[in-house]
Amino acid sequence: MASYKENRTARIRLVSSHNEVYEPCDDSFALVDALLADRTNLLEHCPTMCMEIGCGSGYVITSLALILGRERGGVNYIATDINPNAVKVTRETLDAHGVDAELILTDIASGLENRLAGLVDVMVVNPPYVPTPEDEVGAEGIISSWAGGENGRRVIDRILPVADHLLSEKGWLYMVTLTANNPSEICLQMRKKGYASKIIIQRSTEEESLHIIKFWRDFDTTVDEVTDQSLIGFLGSLLAQIPLFSLWRGSNSNDNC
Amino acid sequence: MRLLTHNMLSSNIKGVEKGFPLRIEAEKVVEKPVEMNADFLRKMFEKVEWKAFLEASRSMGYAQLPEEVDSGMLESDEFLSRFHHALLELHLEEGALVCPETGRRFPVNKGIPNMLLHEDEV
């Protein structure tokens, strides 16, 4: 497993760093592990346009490019961050692994909403999800990488409609959430926009309980069909998934840490 | 920054109607060869706004693209290789993107466009 993983994800010693940029940590590893776990599906998905919102150190977008395969041309990667140091560090991390992505210094996807709408086949997001005082949200530097305001939802709730807007018809979104963010409520909110969801990884660390959720458009569901009854059934099925994936818990012996 | 990315970017300043295409001020253009993928080019051909792309390629010093295009041209290897070169291999390394409506300059440094807005622009 270790060598398999090493060949297909960014190597920690090659990930660049800066004191104002969030370093890969449990949440980043969980997101990349979710992508690895879903690798067969990702390869079959044949994405053309992949995007990361909030690329930080570049660990995740680099890993996504490696998972999809350096040898496979025909995939364009875009990564954004609001922190000028983060996009610089991401460039170094990509270069160190011999992969490439287009980097844009911007707030979420500002400037891309019009022309990139409906084009993104795979989106990955490790948002600032930590519950913090409101005034820390969007502060300069490294704080912007974690400060999520009330329930850690301030930035997540801005990202979700943007993701919905940018994703293609076959688009997938992988997002990190914390129990405090109320992931079931996030899934319900996306359900109303027509998305199905699945927890790919649920992992408890000393400090937090992380869920990596995958969203995809479910054309069998229209807004009208989302009744209270179906929501209850949906919640039940969501909760039922958790034990299935609890095998991942504790198996997080990260060689990288 | 590739011209593909340029074709996906608009001015995001409050009050701007279309904000597209951003005018390119090129100070430094670099070429980074990548392998050509015809399927990718065919998909992107549908999405690219040609006039903006043509103008952008000229401002980057590349004048080998036709004025008018149709999907039949995708059968031509010569066209594909020019399209590929302009779309993916030419990079704006240093310069600026200029909002067509306000003239606001978005700097591009080390190939990364800075689309961050000032408080009074949001």
Side-chain angles (χ1 to χ4, degrees):
Chain A
M1 181 69 188
S3 62
Y4 171 83
K5 190 171 163 177
E6 208 165 87
N7 287 332
R8 289 206 162 80
T9 64
R11 297 179 183 207
I12 289 304
R13 65 182 171 82
L14 294 181
V15 173
S16 191
S17 65
H18 184 283
N19 58 8
E20 283 296 325
V21 177
Y22 188 75
E23 288 192 17
C25 204
D26 289 329
D27 47 355
S28 333
F29 299 138
L31 178 53
V32 167
D33 285 351
L35 297 173
L36 266 182
D38 215 27
R39 178 171 179 269
T40 309
N41 293 325
L42 277 166
L43 291 177
E44 282 176 6
H45 193 54
C46 289
T48 300
M49 193 72 80
C50 297
M51 180 177 190
E52 179 172 20
I53 291 175
C55 54
S57 67
Y59 174 74
V60 176
I61 192 75
T62 301
S63 296
L64 179 63
L66 292 171
I67 287 167
L68 285 170
R70 215 185 312 228
E71 66 279 4
R72 286 161 73 102
V75 191
N76 188 64
Y77 299 90
I78 300 176
T80 68
D81 206 292
I82 197 171
N83 176 350
N85 292 310
V87 284
K88 278 183 210 153
V89 166
T90 293
R91 168 65 68 220
E92 291 164 5
T93 299
L94 289 160
D95 286 349
H97 292 82
V99 292
D100 200 11
E102 290 287 282
L103 303 177
I104 301 169
L105 179 58
T106 195
D107 180 20
I108 301 184
S110 182
L112 291 163
E113 285 106 331
N114 291 342
R115 296 277 304 141
L116 195 65
L119 287 185
V120 178
D121 298 319
V122 172
M123 183 182 284
V124 289
V125 188
N126 183 3
Y129 56 65
V130 179
T132 63
E134 290 294 310
D135 59 1
E136 288 183 12
V137 176
E140 275 195 18
I142 196 166
I143 296 174
S144 69
S145 71
W146 71 70
E150 191 181 358
N151 300 325
R153 286 284 293 273
R154 272 286 296 281
V155 185
I156 289 175
D157 287 345
R158 286 182 57 218
I159 291 174
L160 292 175
V162 175
D164 175 39
H165 184 67
L166 296 185
L167 284 173
S168 68
E169 285 194 1
K170 68 169 191 178
W172 293 347
L173 165 66
Y174 297 84
M175 193 172 75
V176 181
T177 64
L178 198 66
T179 306
N181 305 145
N182 196 351
S184 323
E185 201 281 323
I186 293 174
C187 291
L188 286 182
Q189 199 178 311
M190 289 299 276
R191 186 79 173 168
K192 287 176 184 167
K193 293 181 195 289
Y195 288 82
S197 56
K198 176 174 156 181
I199 297 169
I200 306 271
I201 286 184
Q202 196 262 329
R203 185 177 287 170
S204 297
T205 67
E206 279 177 20
E207 293 168 355
E208 51 197 19
S209 174
L210 298 162
H211 301 71
I212 314 299
I213 311 176
K214 176 181 177 180
F215 298 94
W216 66 96
R217 286 183 208 273
D218 182 359
F219 292 101
D220 294 335
T221 307
T222 65
V223 178
D224 296 341
E225 285 173 33
V226 183
T227 61
D228 286 349
Q229 204 56 43
S230 71
L231 288 185
I232 291 164
F234 165 69
L235 258 185
S237 69
L238 186 71
L239 293 171
Q241 289 175 30
I242 293 173
L244 284 174
F245 291 96
S246 64
L247 285 172
W248 286 95
R249 294 178 64 176
S251 67
N252 184 19
S253 54
N254 259 304
D255 354 303
N256 302 321
C257 281
Chain B
M1 186 199 69
R2 290 169 160 170
L3 290 190
L4 172 61
T5 305
H6 168 262
N7 212 270
M8 300 299 149
L9 274 176
S10 314
S11 170
N12 48 357
I13 300 167
K14 185 185 170 190
V16 165
E17 274 183 36
K18 197 173 170 219
F20 180 86
L22 296 160
R23 189 165 54 77
I24 293 180
E25 285 180 5
E27 283 168 30
K28 186 181 173 194
V29 175
V30 294
E31 292 185 22
K32 298 180 194 170
V34 284
E35 208 171 300
M36 191 169 100
N37 182 309
D39 286 341
F40 179 82
L41 293 174
R42 289 192 187 101
K43 279 185 209 162
M44 286 302 126
F45 182 79
E46 318 253 308
K47 310 293 180 191
V48 164
E49 193 164 296
W50 192 263
K51 201 163 171 286
F53 179 55
L54 180 73
E55 198 61 39
S57 69
R58 285 177 178 165
S59 58
M60 300 269 279
Y62 186 74
Q64 306 293 315
L65 294 174
E67 292 269 345
E68 303 286 335
V69 283
D70 59 74
S71 55
M73 290 181 175
L74 293 168
E75 303 302 317
S76 152
D77 287 345
E78 193 187 346
F79 173 74
L80 277 183
S81 87
R82 287 176 182 191
F83 181 39
H84 168 77
H85 180 68
L87 190 72
L88 302 173
E89 294 187 325
L90 289 179
H91 291 254
L92 180 62
E93 192 70 6
E94 299 290 334
L97 306 174
V98 184
C99 171
E101 289 166 46
T102 64
R104 154 77 140 91
R105 295 172 83 254
F106 296 95
V108 178
N109 298 120
K110 293 185 175 166
I112 304 173
N114 177 352
M115 303 303 292
L116 293 178
L117 298 173
H118 305 128
E119 264 178 35
D120 58 353
E121 295 172 326
V122 183

